[in-house]
Amino acid sequence: MSELPVIDIAPLLSGTAGDVPDQIGAACRTSGFFYVTGHGVPPALIERLDAAARAFFELPTEVKNEISMERGGRAWRGFFPVGGELTSGRPDLKEGVYFGAERPPGGTPLQGPNLFPAQVPELREAVLAYIEALTGLGQAVMRGIALSLDLPGDYFSAGYTADPTVLFRIFHYPPSEPDTDGWGVGEHTDYGLLTLLLQDANGGLQVHTPGGWISAPPVPGTFVCNIGDMLDKLTGGLYSSTPHRVRNLSGNERLSFPFFFDPGWDSEVPPLPYTEGGRARWDGQDLRAFTGTYGEYLLGKVSKVFPQLRADVLD
């Protein structure tokens, strides 16, 4: 079992709340991580998504490259190989696929059509259905967060997340050797409001709590939920985004499915005026120093993860 709390959010989905906001608030003020159960996402959908993802990653690299991110253009969608993504300037020991809300082609970076492999046609249906389901779940959890801050339940859904920026990744981690420095993802915090993570049965996620690094192992029927830098910024550090990292020592191939639920592209994210009691960040950054839209902020962050793609697509 994990040391992180498991919170049943079914009351939020039914239109009530009970003590769920209090539980969420306590988790956000301590570890910034918790598990959610009672989420209503159909197990059959999760099973279809997992099976389709495994079928995709079993394809030869040259076939996976048919939907490489270079072909996604400004939408920033598609496949990247092992070592193709950087965390804090270092290559990650993982490969993956970037998806987002399905939109027509246009000029806005990080938005547009997804790329799907012709060899695994079932992946398209599963991904789009999953994005829809997790968008609803994200709104429900943010309702609990709003209530935990003594805000109206629709504070986020009527404002910052009325038209949310949603980004979805599927990551495949090869096994790491115990005596090497092979991190699937190095220490980092997430950029946005909220992350909802589906893990397979192979562990690897580690969270830096006030008591030190702990494992966040898979708990059947749950998502791992963590708050990101924009919620940290909004609350002045009261709800602090927490460093985490991944190392796959299971000896097996590991899949994870992080879903990022963030403010709308054109939203500005000023701190809530009354929030007090925040603590200094682990890396010394002052998130309140940024001004501008969330889209501008996100584009700057993602461009550091794929510097060559930025040069090819945006510059």
Side-chain angles (χ1 to χ4, degrees), residues 29-286:
R29 288 189 299 272
T30 53
S31 66
F33 269 77
F34 52 97
Y35 295 82
V36 295
T37 186
H39 47 72
V41 179
L45 173 57
I46 292 173
E47 292 169 4
R48 294 204 319 270
L49 179 67
D50 183 88
R54 292 182 189 280
F56 172 74
F57 286 114
E58 289 174 357
L59 295 172
T61 300
E62 61 270 21
V63 177
K64 290 182 283 191
N65 277 330
E66 292 177 6
I67 61 164
S68 67
M69 292 187 73
E70 288 79 2
R71 303 189 182 198
R74 293 172 66 87
W76 225 290
R77 309 287 167 84
F79 168 75
F80 68 88
V82 173
E85 182 172 276
L86 307 180
T87 299
S88 301
R90 300 184 62 182
D92 293 334
L93 186 60
K94 70 175 189 295
E95 60 180 342
V97 198
Y98 272 44
F99 301 104
E102 185 75 9
R103 301 281 173 83
T108 303
L110 275 69
Q111 299 189 37
N114 291 291
L115 299 180
F116 292 104
Q119 297 82 359
V120 189
E122 62 271 26
L123 186 63
R124 177 187 178 90
E125 180 184 355
V127 164
L128 295 181
Y130 189 80
I131 288 175
E132 181 178 2
L134 269 288
T135 299
L137 177 56
Q139 296 284 23
V141 175
M142 290 306 302
R143 177 172 179 261
I145 288 173
L147 293 171
S148 77
L149 293 165
D150 294 324
L151 297 168
D154 65 350
Y155 180 84
F156 293 103
S157 62
Y160 297 115
T161 65
D163 182 20
T165 301
V166 296
L167 304 172
F168 176 47
R169 317 287 190 240
I170 305 177
F171 292 145
H172 168 234
Y173 297 86
S176 294
E177 296 296 330
D179 57 349
T180 64
D181 190 26
W183 288 97
V185 180
E187 182 178 355
H188 68 287
T189 56
D190 293 342
Y191 308 142
L193 283 178
L194 190 72
T195 303
L196 293 161
L197 173 69
L198 172 67
Q199 305 185 78
D200 71 3
N202 300 297
L205 175 63
Q206 299 176 8
V207 176
H208 194 272
T209 69
W213 287 101
I214 66 169
S215 294
V219 176
T222 71
F223 294 94
V224 177
C225 181
N226 67 278
I227 58 179
D229 291 347
M230 283 299 96
L231 194 57
D232 189 319
K233 174 181 169 67
L234 272 168
T235 63
L238 179 65
Y239 289 4
S240 184
S241 53
T242 303
H244 50 287
R245 61 192 184 185
V246 175
R247 193 174 187 191
N248 178 20
L249 297 176
S250 68
N252 302 316
E253 308 295 319
R254 177 183 187 265
L255 290 188
S256 73
F257 305 81
F259 179 87
F260 303 96
F261 185 80
D262 295 346
W265 186 263
D266 295 322
S267 296
E268 296 191 4
V269 191
L272 298 171
Y274 63 86
T275 308
E276 299 178 354
R279 62 183 186 269
R281 276 177 57 87
W282 63 287
D283 56 4
Q285 287 190 63
D286 182 1

